[in-house]
Amino acid sequence: MANPPLDAFPEHRLNVRADAMYRIHEVSRLISTYFDQLVSQHGITRAQWTTVMHITQNQGATQTQLADTMQMGRAAAGKMLDRLEEKGWIERRPDPSDHRVRRVYTQSKIQPLHESIPTAAKKLYEEFYAGLSDEQIEQLHETLIVMRDNGRSAINQTGPEKNVT
């Protein structure tokens, strides 16, 4: 069942939808800020941890592949990898078949973070889901999945060459 176009909504319904989108953005920012506070004692930020997790899940990926996976530019990804390499958490090795390409791997020095970060994540969950029932959290999860899928579909429909007016 398709939803009616937005201009068919009374002003209140449109305002609620706009405010909900703003709240999603606001909660995302607050999650990042709080997580950064929780893990600051370990000398890592949420952005760095996210990058480490992408590398952990894609051992041997190229810098370009990681940039695409993380949805960031190659230069920004390169700077992030530089910081992680300086800390000894990752290493970049030449590709055996093409020495111009460097592949990225985690180092054993990152292991203590793999053990302590889940504790910080649990604390974040406790704080941000406080006052919500398991059913509400599951409904939120399902709703966000639908919204994510709708967003992906909208991006694929519009593409970079089409205008939205």
Side-chain angles (χ1 to χ4, degrees), residues 8-24:
F9 287 120
E11 188 172 335
H12 171 75
R13 291 181 74 194
L14 184 60
N15 288 341
V16 168
R17 282 159 176 74
D19 190 61
M21 286 286 188
Y22 173 76
R23 299 289 173 210
I24 290 168

Side-chain angles (χ1 to χ4, degrees), residues 82-139:
D82 288 344
R83 286 191 290 276
L84 297 175
E85 196 168 36
E86 287 169 10
K87 293 180 179 214
W89 292 339
I90 65 152
E91 71 172 327
R92 292 181 263 198
R93 302 179 203 153
D95 183 286
S97 60
D98 184 349
H99 291 293
R100 296 170 298 172
V101 176
R102 297 178 56 93
R103 302 213 168 259
V104 185
Y105 300 87
T106 56
Q107 295 286 83
S108 60
K109 188 174 179 182
I110 197 73
Q111 190 55 41
L113 287 174
H114 281 288
E115 295 164 6
S116 61
I117 296 296
T119 303
K122 286 177 187 173
K123 175 77 171 154
L124 182 140
Y125 303 152
E126 289 171 8
E127 296 293 336
F128 278 74
Y129 290 126
L132 297 175
S133 68
D134 287 344
E135 292 80 19
Q136 288 174 307
I137 295 167
E138 287 177 22
Q139 181 61 51

